[in-house]
Amino acid sequence: MVDAHFFNGTKVVEVAKDAVEFNLPIIRSNRRLVASENGGLHNPSCLVFNPEWTHKHVDNTSKRFQYPALPGIRRPKSEEDIAFMSILELGELIRTNQITSHELVQIFLQRLKRYNPVLEAVITSTDELAYKQAKEADELIAKGVYLGPLHGIPYGLKDIIAVPGYKTTWGSRSFKDQVLDIEAWVYKRLRSAGAVLVAKLVSGSLAYDDIWFGGRTRNPWNIEEFSTGSSAGPAASTSAGLVPFAIGSETAGSITFPASRCGVTALRPTFGTVGRTGVMSISESLDKLGPFCRSAADCSVVLDAIRGKDPDDLSSRDIPFRDPFSIDIRKLTVGYMDDAEMEVVHVLKAKGVNMVPFKLNYTVDSVQGILNFTMDVEMLAHFDEWQRTGQDDIYEAQDQWPTELRRSRVISAVDYVQAQRARRKLIEEVKKSFTVDAFIGNATDWEKVCLGNLVGLPVIVIPTGLKNISNPPSKGTRRRTTINTGIYARPDHDHIALALAIAYQSVTDHHKQRPPIDDLGPNDKIPDPPTVVIPPRRLHP
């Protein structure tokens, strides 16, 4: 199991004897000391991953930028139209007293309750808290105090993020009644910006895929399908206009996959950009929080509010986040890979960007394996007690975490460290090969997902169109399959990816399309359970 065939029989007996006498007491002592609680909320590791490619000091990293003005925005007559407005548009309505936060909360809570029975995207509606926060937001406006574009804007949190007084279930049957008396750092940041929490949204069980203790979240664009990825609730809810934005997380694909499937714009920021205090941990060297939004401009607004150094998260940093609205993209050289959506390439080229063919070159041939070793070992460290007490036997999907974490129990410390050394080699090779300011490529290719997360690359997923579903009903359907791509940047250069996405979306409207959850088409019945099978996560190339 540990590839130690180089030990002869005598040495094996010696190792076993010494392990009993020396190793086991230390293992058991450490378990008692730091492994009696699950979820990684206590006793973080002293080993900290830093994705920086340069250690130059950057001044004014916490300086906020000026958001674009939207003069002339008027309140639509339809609540449906209001529900699909951008953050900046809704913020302008609030700032100019055309709508109140209380009214917005009513609209979005009604939508959450209306569509959730079909989408299965919400775990807990936070009605009482939402109306309380909305009242506070409206009172500040009445006093002439405006906190910025998130003032009074409703939003949702993936249910691995703790909010006092409400369940934080981690999507798991084992923890479905858990209430954590912890105020997550990202929740604090959003509250200080005036945003209003309306729901705790579905996380796949222990942040793995879209299966949770209450069901399985569906894709609003084609509700015969599931949403994929553990940030299933944030993606589906944003796509269906149940919230203007939501906060999700990614360790390995949990932002990129559901954003792609549900046709929303979402940002996986540079590792360390957003503090993780009060958030269930899978992998301390891989976990990231990021926004699901209507547009790249909205992602910029949300990231600006939640970024910064979290004093209780050793991995968080003040990254040099420049104003993406002021970047001159004509000075950028952007690569496009073989699997890039060429419409994006042509649009950016027409806007003056220097577009060049591009390929990442690296010799490390075990990228996906390094990801699994890293993620699974660190996950088991956070759920050691869960496994040892047999709670993995009641897990929602037995071919997921239970299988992976049992296997990771026999990964030796030496081989985990060797994986981290291979990871460093990969980082250096990608750094050398990254000869452009950004590149465009598939956002859900598993090799890119593993590489991007191991290296710490930011990527923004943007919708680029729609196509017909396979095997549509004979009389037609409005259900569609979304088309998307990713814009990747260097670590700490999230503003570059955002600026390019903003430029693309300024002349296209794919991100403004609405899923057909009220009008599927004549005789378009949705099978239950869905017939579309989502392939499992690949563990090897």
Side-chain angles (χ1 to χ4, degrees):
M1 287 190 294
V2 295
D3 196 24
H5 60 277
F6 41 81
F7 287 152
N8 61 29
T10 301
K11 290 179 180 177
V12 168
V13 171
E14 181 183 87
V15 167
K17 178 177 179 293
D18 287 350
V20 170
E21 293 180 0
F22 182 75
N23 294 13
L24 292 187
I26 298 172
I27 290 170
R28 290 167 179 165
S29 175
N30 288 341
R31 284 176 180 169
R32 289 192 298 270
L33 189 65
V34 298
S36 61
E37 296 181 82
N38 295 297
L41 297 178
H42 310 282
N43 305 303
S45 170
C46 65
L47 304 177
V48 177
F49 171 60
N50 188 335
E52 286 182 289
W53 284 0
T54 177
H55 296 286
K56 294 180 181 178
H57 178 71
V58 180
D59 294 323
N60 299 321
T61 54
S62 62
K63 183 179 180 181
R64 264 46 190 179
F65 48 77
Q66 295 297 317
Y67 305 106
L70 296 176
I73 294 293
R74 293 291 177 264
R75 175 176 175 167
K77 295 180 180 179
S78 163
E79 289 188 353
E80 176 85 4
D81 291 338
I82 292 172
F84 282 94
M85 295 182 81
S86 71
I87 290 172
L88 288 172
E89 290 170 336
L90 291 173
E92 183 67 7
L93 293 185
I94 285 180
R95 189 187 69 82
T96 56
N97 294 303
Q98 297 183 59
I99 200 167
T100 65
S101 180
H102 185 276
E103 289 176 291
L104 285 181
V105 165
Q106 283 185 315
I107 290 170
F108 286 104
L109 283 176
Q110 287 172 1
R111 291 183 66 83
L112 286 161
K113 291 173 173 58
R114 176 180 180 183
Y115 293 110
N116 189 56
V118 173
L119 295 179
E120 298 182 24
V122 182
I123 293 182
T124 304
S125 292
T126 59
D127 301 45
E128 184 179 352
L129 177 64
Y131 282 118
K132 177 178 179 291
Q133 292 181 341
K135 180 181 178 182
E136 293 169 353
D138 290 336
E139 287 174 348
L140 285 176
I141 289 289
K143 295 175 183 178
V145 178
Y146 181 62
L147 299 177
L150 294 183
H151 188 132
I153 305 296
Y155 74 98
L157 289 175
K158 183 176 179 178
D159 201 34
I160 63 170
I161 301 171
V163 176
Y166 288 91
K167 292 180 181 179
T168 302
T169 70
W170 302 342
S172 171
R173 188 177 293 118
S174 298
F175 304 97
K176 64 184 180 66
D177 296 317
Q178 173 178 254
V179 177
L180 298 171
D181 189 24
I182 301 171
E183 196 171 45
W185 192 84
V186 68
Y187 169 66
K188 291 181 186 178
R189 299 290 286 182
L190 288 168
R191 191 183 64 191
S192 68
V196 175
L197 179 66
V198 293
K200 302 290 291 298
L201 303 174
V202 163
S203 166
S205 185
L206 302 185
Y208 191 136
D209 227 356
D210 50 24
I211 298 173
W212 59 292
F213 68 84
R216 195 169 186 184
T217 304
R218 297 179 186 247
N219 169 21
W221 275 104
N222 181 6
I223 60 175
E224 184 184 7
E225 295 181 330
F226 298 119
S227 63
T228 83
S230 72
S231 297
S237 296
T238 305
S239 173
L242 312 190
V243 289
F245 76 96
I247 303 298
S249 70
E250 170 153 330
T251 307
S254 286
I255 288 177
T256 54
F257 275 99
S260 299
R261 173 59 59 87
C262 296
V264 294
T265 304
L267 176 69
R268 182 189 77 206
T270 298
F271 177 86
T273 302
V274 183
R276 303 169 301 182
T277 298
V279 180
M280 190 207 89
S281 180
I282 291 180
S283 170
E284 289 179 53
S285 71
L286 290 168
D287 297 339
K288 296 159 290 293
L289 298 175
F292 289 79
C293 298
R294 303 255 175 274
S295 66
D298 283 359
C299 285
S300 302
V301 170
V302 177
L303 185 65
D304 193 34
I306 63 177
R307 66 185 174 92
K309 175 64 180 174
D310 172 358
D312 295 317
D313 179 358
L314 300 179
S315 297
S316 68
R317 299 175 294 122
D318 278 315
I319 71 164
F321 187 48
R322 290 180 54 197
D323 181 354
F325 297 104
S326 67
I327 300 295
D328 186 353
I329 61 172
R330 295 170 298 178
K331 296 181 179 179
L332 301 178
T333 297
V334 175
Y336 57 93
M337 306 189 88
D338 292 341
D339 56 8
E341 281 297 319
M342 292 306 295
E343 186 204 54
V344 181
V345 176
H346 297 321
V347 167
L348 292 179
K349 185 176 182 179
K351 292 184 75 69
V353 179
N354 180 30
M355 304 298 300
V356 297
F358 179 72
K359 181 180 180 181
L360 274 178
N361 297 307
Y362 50 93
T363 64
V364 175
D365 62 0
S366 56
V367 172
Q368 298 176 32
I370 295 169
L371 186 283
N372 279 110
F373 263 38
T374 303
M375 177 176 64
D376 292 352
V377 168
E378 294 182 9
M379 173 67 170
L380 182 55
H382 298 140
F383 285 89
D384 189 2
E385 192 266 351
W386 175 80
Q387 186 186 74
R388 287 185 283 110
T389 55
Q391 294 180 70
D392 57 341
D393 289 335
I394 62 170
Y395 186 79
E396 287 72 14
Q398 284 294 306
D399 61 340
Q400 295 181 355
W401 278 136
T403 300
E404 289 196 35
L405 297 187
R406 289 165 194 154
R407 182 180 65 244
S408 66
R409 176 69 68 173
V410 294
I411 297 173
S412 72
V414 170
D415 293 312
Y416 171 80
V417 171
Q418 300 297 34
Q420 302 318 302
R421 296 176 73 197
R423 181 181 183 182
R424 172 51 59 186
K425 181 176 178 63
L426 174 68
I427 290 170
E428 293 302 321
E429 290 183 344
V430 170
K431 177 181 176 181
K432 183 178 180 180
S433 179
F434 210 118
T435 56
V436 291
D437 294 298
F439 71 85
I440 300 170
N442 188 299
T444 57
D445 172 72
W446 186 236
E447 177 81 359
K448 287 190 188 68
V449 169
C450 293
L451 181 145
N453 280 288
L454 287 170
V455 174
L457 300 181
V459 59
I460 185 165
V461 181
I462 53 174
T464 59
L466 300 165
K467 62 182 179 181
N468 293 332
I469 63 170
S470 58
N471 302 315
S474 59
K475 294 186 179 181
T477 178
R478 291 187 65 236
R479 288 185 285 139
R480 293 290 183 268
T481 295
T482 58
I483 307 170
N484 55 80
T485 200
I487 302 177
Y488 298 76
R490 300 163 179 256
D492 297 347
H493 286 69
D494 306 56
H495 55 283
I496 298 295
L498 287 163
L500 292 165
I502 290 169
Y504 170 74
Q505 292 182 337
S506 70
V507 293
T508 59
D509 65 357
H510 302 304
H511 61 292
K512 296 180 180 180
Q513 302 306 305
R514 304 178 188 179
I517 49 179
D518 277 327
D519 181 16
L520 293 170
N523 302 312
D524 190 5
K525 296 180 180 179
I526 306 302
D528 190 7
T531 58
V532 175
V533 177
I534 305 302
R537 185 171 69 193
R538 290 189 296 159
L539 302 182
H540 303 287

